[in-house]
Amino acid sequence: MALDKVQGRDVGIAIQKTINAALVYALIGCLTDSTFDVDTETDEATCIASGQFKEFIGGQTGWSLGGTLNVRQATNDASGPGATDADDNVTAENLLDIQLSENNQVQVRYRIGSKKGSAWYTGTGIITKSSFKGQLKGIATYAITIQGSGPLVKTLAPA
């Protein structure tokens, strides 16, 4: 079994959306960084017989995703049959629209690697923070935070 290095460009966040009448996961475009945090609470289980060291047991687990992306605008200016570049992308504008909608939950997947057998962690999340930053020089950026709600399901990337 080979151990391959995973480049930063090979990890990322994908959002489930409908493209050409099919549910697919589309990577959030232009991500410059991403985070995937999993936290497990602990409960102290120390008793007198434990001696001078505390003992703990694991509690509930929570997770969140986040990242920063360069802001790009997707327009339907592609040519050819079925060309829908705006529909096939997930942009900062799409994510803000989801957050502002009544149902601000999204099906998300965090991808770790890009090869066959790479881990995908999938779950339902709520977009809790959107932050746009525009400066005089350089590209505008957008930061997002997605709070997980419920379990994560691990699958492996197909060939």
Side-chain angles (χ1 to χ4, degrees):
M1 178 168 133
L3 294 176
D4 295 326
K5 294 178 185 168
V6 176
Q7 299 291 324
R9 67 178 173 267
D10 293 331
V11 299
I13 304 169
I15 303 289
Q16 188 180 65
K17 62 185 293 185
T18 303
I19 299 175
N20 297 327
L23 277 176
V24 299
Y25 281 91
L27 281 174
I28 295 175
C30 302
L31 269 172
T32 60
D33 65 65
S34 63
T35 58
F36 177 37
D37 297 313
V38 179
D39 299 303
T40 301
E41 296 174 351
T42 58
D43 294 319
E44 188 172 349
T46 307
C47 67
I48 293 174
S50 299
Q52 76 181 55
F53 294 98
K54 292 182 178 184
E55 294 177 339
F56 293 88
I57 58 172
Q60 291 183 305
T61 299
W63 58 275
S64 64
L65 300 170
T68 305
L69 55 139
N70 289 329
V71 175
R72 299 268 173 99
Q73 186 175 28
T75 56
N76 275 330
D77 58 1
S79 59
T84 57
D85 57 322
D87 296 332
D88 294 347
N89 287 285
V90 178
T91 66
E93 182 180 349
N94 300 140
L95 296 169
L96 181 59
D97 290 345
I98 292 169
Q99 183 179 8
L100 295 175
S101 71
E102 282 187 39
N103 180 15
N104 56 7
Q105 291 191 348
V106 291
Q107 276 295 112
V108 294
R109 173 180 288 158
Y110 194 77
R111 174 182 92 172
I112 303 174
S114 62
K115 297 181 179 179
K116 178 182 177 182
S118 296
W120 291 347
Y121 291 90
T122 304
T124 301
I126 299 167
I127 300 174
T128 59
K129 186 171 183 178
S130 289
S131 180
F132 283 89
K133 180 180 178 186
Q135 54 276 348
L136 181 59
K137 296 181 180 182
I139 301 291
T141 59
Y142 168 78
I144 185 171
T145 303
I146 301 170
Q147 177 63 56
S149 179
L152 284 168
V153 176
K154 180 182 179 181
T155 56
L156 300 179

